[in-house]
Amino acid sequence: MMYQRYYFEQKYVIDNELAPAKQLELMFDCAHIEYHFLSAKMKKNELCEQLAEYLQAVIRTHNLHANDMTVLSASVDLVRELSYAYAKATNEKVNCMCESHEEYLKMEGDELRIKDARKFMKQNFWQNTGSVSFSSIHSFKGLESPATMLILGDGELVAGEGEAESSIKLFPSPQELIYVGLTRTRNYLFVVNVGDVRYDAFFRSDAVRKYSATVVTAFPGSYLE
């Protein structure tokens, strides 16, 4: 895969027998890739609301069933708040592999209760619920989805005026973890990069752009290729 060659060639033995194009064909049944770069200086609720709008647009544009879509991020906090924003915007149920927004507010500060809640949700997570799934990349290892929205990030999303005081920290993810996130999908891959410039060059490279779609989305001021 192109990502393997770009990041891991100096660390691991890469299978060079397959050309990048053929590798992508084998990875996806019918590849559709979108990539967007957003500033990490956005307010917490502003980002979640825009991501929720984009998620709705993606499902509508590609005629996807909610059950086919999974949202992944290395940040559990972002997964939780985005699932809340999406449920609020659509009035639909969501399938989340962590505590809900409401549950978190009741447990905030009690790390043991939060840890136990996340363990319970992970053990009782089922994909085919008819709803969009939201999960951390770590928790989704070994699973697959027809369509995946992968959110990368680096920075802190602070609360806006009138919002809860807590912020969302987006930590730079290891290359191996991003690879796990990229390989969870079968057909559609939507990558949203919130301020992590380390991966921007790869997703803007000619090799990736060859397979990326030119799109118009709900992100005002975003850098689209």
Side-chain angles (χ1 to χ4, degrees), residues 2-131:
M2 291 178 289
Y3 184 90
Q4 289 176 300
R5 183 171 289 108
Y6 194 93
Y7 287 109
F8 301 149
E9 197 161 34
Q10 302 303 316
K11 298 173 66 176
Y12 307 112
V13 176
I14 306 299
D15 184 0
N16 292 313
E17 293 182 2
L18 294 178
K22 190 62 178 178
Q23 288 176 324
L24 198 67
E25 288 173 12
L26 292 177
M27 180 179 169
F28 302 102
D29 295 329
C30 180
H32 177 92
I33 304 173
E34 292 182 17
Y35 173 71
H36 310 277
F37 187 91
L38 304 179
S39 171
K41 296 181 180 180
M42 300 174 69
K43 299 298 184 183
K44 179 179 67 174
N45 280 13
E46 179 186 5
L47 175 65
C48 288
E49 288 171 3
Q50 288 194 19
L51 289 175
E53 289 179 15
Y54 175 56
L55 184 55
Q56 293 176 72
V58 160
I59 293 173
R60 181 174 59 252
T61 301
H62 298 282
N63 197 28
L64 298 171
H65 190 281
N67 194 67
D68 294 332
M69 174 61 70
T70 298
V71 178
L72 300 177
S73 173
S75 169
V76 179
D77 290 335
L78 180 57
V79 167
R80 180 188 63 245
E81 297 307 316
L82 178 53
S83 67
Y84 173 70
Y86 180 80
K88 185 177 179 181
T90 61
N91 199 30
E92 297 176 3
K93 291 183 178 180
V94 294
N95 186 29
C96 196
M97 203 187 288
C98 68
E99 73 283 354
S100 68
H101 172 82
E102 294 82 2
E103 291 170 336
Y104 179 79
L105 292 180
K106 296 177 182 178
M107 299 185 293
E108 191 170 11
D110 192 335
E111 296 301 323
L112 183 59
R113 287 184 63 195
I114 293 174
K115 182 178 180 180
D116 287 342
R118 290 176 182 174
K119 182 178 180 180
F120 175 82
M121 294 301 293
K122 183 176 180 179
Q123 291 175 339
N124 292 273
F125 177 83
W126 300 93
Q127 281 186 275
N128 296 318
T129 63
S131 305

